[in-house]
């Protein structure tokens, strides 16, 4: 780990001394979490997640469009030894214009893929896999956006499998100022074997998709925010040379309402059970409802703290619950210094 840190410092120093760099900035952010889950429906997932993530990165701004960002993101789980369970490098190229975003490298998933439904990408990824390792591009206008991404989760070696995720996510507003919108989400896991073949092992494809029609009430009600969505869910499961795609279907609906520092978020599912590797296990059930009651006691410019009580109802298990406190801070990008252009 020390060698990796020195390597990051070396590349940062080399980049700083290059010509025509316009500025260097820094960002510090973090996530503290205590997340207790009391699940009788899935006893193997009935556990407590607790820890702190701390990230720091330096941005080298070549011009207003092109940026190189290098840093680290480390996690410590409370009570664990050694102190840092894992330190993930952050190193990527970023192009950002009024309409386009393109990232290549190891970059935070926060604000890029964190809006995926938990049925497709579960909510522990924010704790244990904060970065995307690959590529992402987004095109955005007043009528919405479309995101295409690729995330490598395991590189093939004689013992390690080849695994990567890819997906699409977008939102379309027929009228930029209107209440209706259409959103969609898709993800597929490609799971191939190690370089040394295993007898009886086959390539596996696993993923899911949702399409939702939404209505945003805006400021037309007593609530600060109120939105409802409804649509369908499809999952895909295939073991090549063994079976074709299994394609379970179901209905999804959600409601979000907030008033001052109180909010509720309710998600409902009914249909066939889904086995999505990176999705929430509750969607294996044929009917499921989750109600989040959210209270935000700490809300400042750079800091937000939330208590979340989640009530999970599934057949035979109406009392499953989850109690979480999360505090996030993000100081924003702060300029350190400018460079003179030698050309």
């Amino acid at each position: 780990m020390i060698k990796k840190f020195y390597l990051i410092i070396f590349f940062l120093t080399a980049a700083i001394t290059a010509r025509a760099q316009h500025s260097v900035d820094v960002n510090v952010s973090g996530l503290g979490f205590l997340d207790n889950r009391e699940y009788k429906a899935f006893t193997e997932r009935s556990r407590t997640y607790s820890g702190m993530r701390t990230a720091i990165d330096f941005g080298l701004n070549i011009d207003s469009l092109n940026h190189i960002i290098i840093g680290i993101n480390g996690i410590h789980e409370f009570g664990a030894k050694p102190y840092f369970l894992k330190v993930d490098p952050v190193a990527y190229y970023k192009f950002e214009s009024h309409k386009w975003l393109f990232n290549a490298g190891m970059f935070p998933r926060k604000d890029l893929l964190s809006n995926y439904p938990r049925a497709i990408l579960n909510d522990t990824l924010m704790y244990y896999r904060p970065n995307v390792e690959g590529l992402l591009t987004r095109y955005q206008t007043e009528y919405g956006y479309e995101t295409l991404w690729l995330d490598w989760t395991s590189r093939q070696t004689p013992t390690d499998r080849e695994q990567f995720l890819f997906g699409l996510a977008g939102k379309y507003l027929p009228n930029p100022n209107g209440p209706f919108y259409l959103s969609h989400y898709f993800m597929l896991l490609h799971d191939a074997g190690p370089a040394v073949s295993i007898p009886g092992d086959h390539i596996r494809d696993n993923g899911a998709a949702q399409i939702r029609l939404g209505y945003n009430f805006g400021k037309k009600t007593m609530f600060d925010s109120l939105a409802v969505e409804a649509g369908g869910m499809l999952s895909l499961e295939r073991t090549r040379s063994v079976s074709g795609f299994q394609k379970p279907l179901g209905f999804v609906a959600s409601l979000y309402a907030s008033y001052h520092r109180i909010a509720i978020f309710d998600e409902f599912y009914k249909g066939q059970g889904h086995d999505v590797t990176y999705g929430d296990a509750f969607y294996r059930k044929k009917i499921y409802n989750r109600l989040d009651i959210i209270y935000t006691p700490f809300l400042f410019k750079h800091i937000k703290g939330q208590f979340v009580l989640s009530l999970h109802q599934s057949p035979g298990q109406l009392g499953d619950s989850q109690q979480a406190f999360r505090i996030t801070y993000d100081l924003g990008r702060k300029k350190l210094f400018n460079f003179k252009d030698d050309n």
Side-chain angles (χ1 to χ4, degrees), residues 112 131 331:
L112 296 175
N131 291 342
L331 301 185

Side-chain angles (χ1 to χ4, degrees), residues 268-280:
F268 174 78
Y269 174 76
K270 182 174 176 59
Q272 298 171 292
H274 302 273
D275 185 11
V276 182
T277 301
Y278 278 84
D280 193 319

Side-chain angles (χ1 to χ4, degrees), residues 8 11 57 68-72 88-93 104-108 131-132 134:
I8 289 171
F11 282 117
D57 64 64
I68 298 172
I69 300 171
I70 299 173
I72 54 175
D88 294 293
V90 175
Y92 64 102
Y93 164 76
M106 297 168 286
F107 51 90
N131 291 342
V132 173

Side-chain angles (χ1 to χ4, degrees), residues 265-302:
F265 182 44
D266 190 86
E267 294 181 288
F268 174 78
Y269 174 76
K270 182 174 176 59
Q272 298 171 292
H274 302 273
D275 185 11
V276 182
T277 301
Y278 278 84
D280 193 319
F282 274 102
Y283 286 84
R284 297 175 188 171
K285 305 288 188 177
K286 293 183 178 181
I287 185 169
Y288 167 61
N289 192 81
R290 171 175 177 156
L291 174 63
D292 290 345
I293 303 170
I294 306 163
Y295 174 53
T296 307
F298 310 114
L299 186 60
F300 304 100
K301 183 176 180 181
H302 300 293

Side-chain angles (χ1 to χ4, degrees), residues 109-183:
R109 71 173 60 248
K110 181 177 177 290
D111 300 327
L112 296 175
L113 302 180
S114 53
N115 65 335
Y116 260 74
R118 286 174 285 217
I120 302 177
L121 293 176
N122 67 67
D123 54 4
T124 60
L125 291 172
M126 72 175 103
Y127 303 150
Y128 299 111
R129 189 170 171 79
N131 291 342
V132 173
E133 298 186 22
L135 304 170
L136 181 144
T137 186
R138 171 177 289 182
Y139 179 73
Q140 183 166 345
T141 71
E142 60 181 340
Y143 293 98
Y145 66 88
E146 188 68 36
T147 303
L148 172 66
W149 56 276
L150 171 68
D151 182 11
W152 284 88
T153 59
S154 178
R155 184 181 69 85
Q156 189 180 61
T157 71
T159 57
D160 296 323
R161 302 181 70 84
E162 177 186 81
Q163 295 177 332
F164 61 84
L165 306 170
F166 65 93
L168 284 166
K171 186 175 184 178
Y172 171 63
L173 294 82
N175 180 349
N177 299 314
F180 286 101
Y181 60 90
L182 185 70
S183 59

